[in-house]
Amino acid sequence: MNVLLKELKLNLKSLIIWCLAQCFIIFAGMMKYQGFADSEVDVSALFDSLPKEVLTVLGMESVNIATIPGFYSVFFLYFMLLAAVHAIMYGAIAVSREERDHCADFIYTRPRRRFQIITPKLIGGVINLIVFNAVTFVASVGFIAYYNDGNGMISEVSVTMLALFFLQLFFLAIGSFFGAISPSTKIATSLSTGFVMLTFLFSVIADLVDAADFLGTLSPFNAFNAQDLVINGQLEGLPALILLAATLVFSGLCILSFHFRNLKT
Amino acid sequence: MNMIKQELRMNLRSLITWCLSLLAILILFMLFFPALSDQMEEFQKVFNSFPPAFQAALKLDTITIDSIMGYYQFAFSFILLGGAIQAMNLGVAIISQEVRMKTGDFLFVKPITRNRVVTMKMLAALILITMTNLILGIGASIVLLITDAQSFDLKTFLLINGSLFFTQLFFLSLGLFLSAFLKRIRTVLPLSLGVVFFFYVISMIQETVNDPKLRLISPFDYFNLAEIMERMEYNAFYLLLWMLLIILFVLGTYWLFRRKDLPAI
């Protein structure tokens, strides 16, 4: 319990900054929606006829961004990117923080097993993710309601946030796994950066080139389809299950490899 | 001079890693160029069937990812992302590492002013960024010439590659400023990755909504690649803004760091 409280306190400031950044992103995006809504007439017809390569280059998927749900579905990628960076870095640091700050001598000499210390740290991470997710939810519903005559699309946004939460958990687990297997925080965060960049590029290329669809299956950024989530309000079960399974596996591997780790003092 | 040499030596490995990763991003994209250009041929007919007014409004004439330079410009936006992370990292780390690695006691007690230390470190960072750009420029021109030597256009190539240098300088000075501004930085990557991805998402929003106000805070759009391709020159206003911000950040770094309370061991 003490470990959990300490974790939450340590991360409070960075969590607040992340949440503010997220609110700003939603604000900055939705602010200009009005401009799109005004010119709806031609745009909708035209966008349907454009090939997806062109839309990818333009920064839009093949959805009609002149409607609120279509416009909001574009946001899912932004949320994923920021949430991935937040979660993976949290995981990478939470596990190796004590060694970085040279205070491992104080916590790991207590009469507690290592997993009893790591588990509350990971739970603290999950709480951070939930707060991040909840703030995104509230900000989204608020801004959507403002531009959509009071209709906040609560059910669709909830499904979207649920999908985002699965991704967050996955990235937290991967990050903590990197933290547990690397000798230092620096290497853990470098590995995490590489992982986020590589999977992001995979998803971009998979969207662009038909022949590269196999790269998309490797990328968590492609696990969910923003259109299904936001427009149809449907969450695909299989990717969610795979992500959840991967989360459990990597969390387990993290606890296991941390158990055998040679702690630097 | 000793300081510059020392910095270069310490950063050599990360320089090589970054150059290789940036080149790898480019090669990854270029590998899929043949598949994409086959795919795009079919859509060329669709484009041509649009009325000219629509083509102009959507800037379809500027999206030419089926030509090698157009595709290079598209791929380069991801190199910009990577390069920004590298530069930001370098900027945040290069001064703050003395405190973080507890070597400040050895450097800041020497009979040189802090301003001189900052200047030397900035010069070292500048050399590292310049080397990254040179190596990437040479590597990229080889890759492009191998893929399609006929349509290689030197001026476009230089303009596009120049935007990497300028964007990197921006993030370098932003990183320097942040490292002088923040009280203590324990791990560099979460900070730099968070900031860079935040601005990256802003630039993606900017691509969709195209708002001049938002562009002011979107450093990735100061040198907008699509615009550079179209006009074959940089946008003077944003170049000026870029220069102003860099000067502010650099002066701010000097001013803040001179007054900064550096913790001893």
Side-chain angles (χ1 to χ4, degrees):
Chain A
M1 198 62 206
N2 287 331
V3 178
L4 179 59
L5 286 179
K6 182 88 185 152
E7 280 293 310
L8 293 179
K9 218 162 87 186
L10 273 173
N11 283 293
L12 186 64
K13 217 163 78 182
S14 87
L15 181 64
I16 292 174
I17 297 175
W18 272 105
C19 289
L20 288 179
Q22 189 78 340
C23 290
F24 180 78
I25 295 278
I26 300 171
F27 164 73
M30 292 307 273
M31 178 181 72
K32 276 295 273 189
Y33 171 71
Q34 211 57 45
F36 272 94
D38 294 342
S39 60
E40 189 175 347
V41 198
D42 318 317
V43 179
S44 333
L46 202 58
F47 271 108
D48 292 339
S49 60
L50 283 179
K52 78 176 181 10
E53 291 80 3
V54 176
L55 290 165
T56 311
V57 175
L58 282 169
M60 312 156 194
E61 290 309 313
S62 46
V63 289
N64 178 6
I65 59 163
T67 65
I68 284 263
F71 192 70
Y72 182 71
S73 72
V74 179
F75 278 61
F76 187 58
L77 174 65
Y78 312 157
F79 294 159
M80 280 197 294
L81 274 179
L82 288 181
V85 172
H86 172 241
I88 204 167
M89 286 297 161
Y90 189 102
I93 291 177
V95 176
S96 56
R97 183 188 296 116
E98 277 71 27
E99 284 171 90
R100 179 192 70 186
D101 296 342
H102 306 288
C103 54
D105 304 16
F106 302 99
I107 182 166
Y108 294 111
T109 49
R110 302 266 158 186
R112 289 284 178 277
R113 317 258 331 244
R114 281 196 187 168
F115 76 85
Q116 286 173 310
I117 298 172
I118 288 297
T119 314
K121 276 169 175 283
L122 292 180
I123 293 173
V126 175
I127 293 176
N128 267 272
L129 300 187
I130 291 175
V131 173
F132 182 88
N133 199 299
V135 169
T136 310
F137 175 77
V138 172
S140 299
V141 170
F143 281 115
I144 290 176
Y146 182 75
Y147 288 109
N148 204 15
D149 306 324
N151 176 8
M153 307 201 314
I154 292 180
S155 64
E156 286 90 349
V157 176
S158 319
V159 172
T160 311
M161 288 305 130
L162 188 65
L164 186 69
F165 187 58
F166 284 125
L167 283 161
Q168 285 179 298
L169 285 178
F170 171 74
F171 278 105
L172 178 74
I174 285 273
S176 63
F177 172 66
F178 285 149
I181 57 165
S182 353
S184 73
T185 313
K186 201 178 160 194
I187 297 174
T189 48
S190 305
L191 277 177
S192 307
T193 309
F195 184 81
V196 172
M197 275 298 278
L198 199 68
T199 49
F200 174 53
L201 290 179
F202 278 180
S203 84
V204 170
I205 294 179
D207 283 343
L208 190 69
V209 189
D210 287 343
D213 275 346
F214 66 96
L215 287 179
T217 54
L218 294 175
S219 169
F221 291 106
N222 270 15
F224 299 106
N225 183 326
Q227 277 170 277
D228 286 348
L229 293 171
V230 181
I231 298 170
N232 307 331
Q234 279 171 343
L235 181 77
E236 272 184 89
L238 187 64
L241 269 180
I242 294 175
L243 279 178
L244 213 55
T247 306
L248 289 177
V249 168
F250 280 107
S251 312
L253 282 176
C254 162
I255 291 172
L256 192 72
S257 51
F258 197 81
H259 184 73
F260 296 109
R261 188 184 163 110
N262 218 344
L263 289 172
K264 279 198 303 256
T265 54
Chain B
M1 204 58 221
N2 287 333
M3 241 183 288
I4 295 185
K5 262 191 222 154
Q6 173 67 15
E7 288 297 334
L8 292 183
R9 201 177 313 141
M10 286 199 305
N11 281 296
L12 185 66
R13 238 187 34 196
S14 90
L15 176 74
I16 295 172
T17 319
W18 272 108
C19 287
L20 290 180
S21 336
L22 292 181
L23 274 176
I25 295 177
L26 183 66
I27 292 169
L28 182 69
F29 271 95
M30 283 304 160
L31 280 180
F32 290 101
F33 178 67
L36 183 77
S37 59
D38 289 349
Q39 201 179 316
M40 286 301 284
E41 259 168 38
E42 304 161 25
F43 296 120
Q44 206 64 46
K45 292 173 209 143
V46 185
F47 289 156
N48 296 337
S49 69
F50 284 150
F54 271 166
Q55 290 189 20
L58 275 171
K59 300 196 180 140
L60 284 183
D61 39 348
T62 60
I63 311 162
T64 46
I65 49 173
D66 55 333
S67 84
I68 189 86
M69 289 319 277
Y71 188 65
Y72 178 63
Q73 172 242 312
F74 174 69
F76 205 79
S77 63
F78 298 98
I79 295 179
L80 278 185
L81 175 65
I85 297 173
Q86 180 207 8
M88 182 88 191
N89 240 350
L90 190 62
V92 174
I94 201 159
I95 296 179
S96 68
Q97 70 184 354
E98 302 294 343
V99 172
R100 203 172 36 252
M101 317 288 266
K102 324 226 186 276
T103 50
D105 291 13
F106 303 101
L107 180 62
F108 296 116
V109 294
K110 301 265 175 205
I112 40 170
T113 58
R114 279 197 191 174
N115 281 352
R116 202 173 148 74
V117 175
V118 175
T119 311
M120 288 300 161
K121 286 190 178 257
M122 279 181 186
L123 282 178
L126 192 64
I127 293 174
L128 286 165
I129 295 290
T130 316
M131 275 160 73
T132 312
N133 276 276
L134 283 178
I135 294 170
L136 186 81
I138 294 169
S141 52
I142 293 173
V143 171
L144 282 184
L145 286 173
I146 290 174
T147 321
D148 186 358
Q150 255 99 57
S151 47
F152 181 79
D153 179 40
L154 188 66
K155 192 179 175 203
T156 320
F157 180 77
L158 288 179
L159 279 172
I160 289 177
N161 274 60
S163 71
L164 175 67
F165 184 64
F166 291 126
T167 310
Q168 284 199 307
L169 282 191
F170 179 88
F171 280 99
L172 176 70
S173 58
L174 178 64
L176 285 165
F177 177 75
L178 276 183
S179 80
F181 178 74
L182 296 172
K183 216 157 116 199
R184 181 157 186 197
I185 296 162
R186 287 202 170 86
T187 311
V188 177
L189 261 169
L191 175 69
S192 46
L193 207 62
V195 172
V196 170
F197 267 86
F198 175 75
F199 282 125
Y200 185 69
V201 168
I202 294 273
S203 92
M204 290 207 287
I205 294 179
Q206 162 65 16
E207 241 169 66
T208 317
V209 300
N210 211 351
D211 177 25
K213 265 182 292 183
L214 193 62
R215 193 174 169 183
L216 291 178
I217 56 160
S218 171
F220 280 108
D221 281 307
Y222 292 170
F223 303 95
N224 186 307
L225 293 173
E227 195 187 81
I228 293 172
M229 278 285 277
E230 191 188 355
R231 298 171 32 164
M232 291 301 271
E233 61 184 16
Y234 294 137
N235 187 323
F237 171 73
Y238 291 101
L239 193 64
L240 213 66
L241 177 69
W242 168 86
M243 221 175 325
L244 193 76
L245 284 174
I246 287 199
I247 292 172
L248 273 181
F249 287 145
V250 169
L251 291 181
T253 309
Y254 278 114
W255 194 78
L256 287 170
F257 192 70
R258 213 169 39 168
R259 284 159 182 75
K260 196 168 178 177
D261 196 13
L262 296 176
I265 295 166

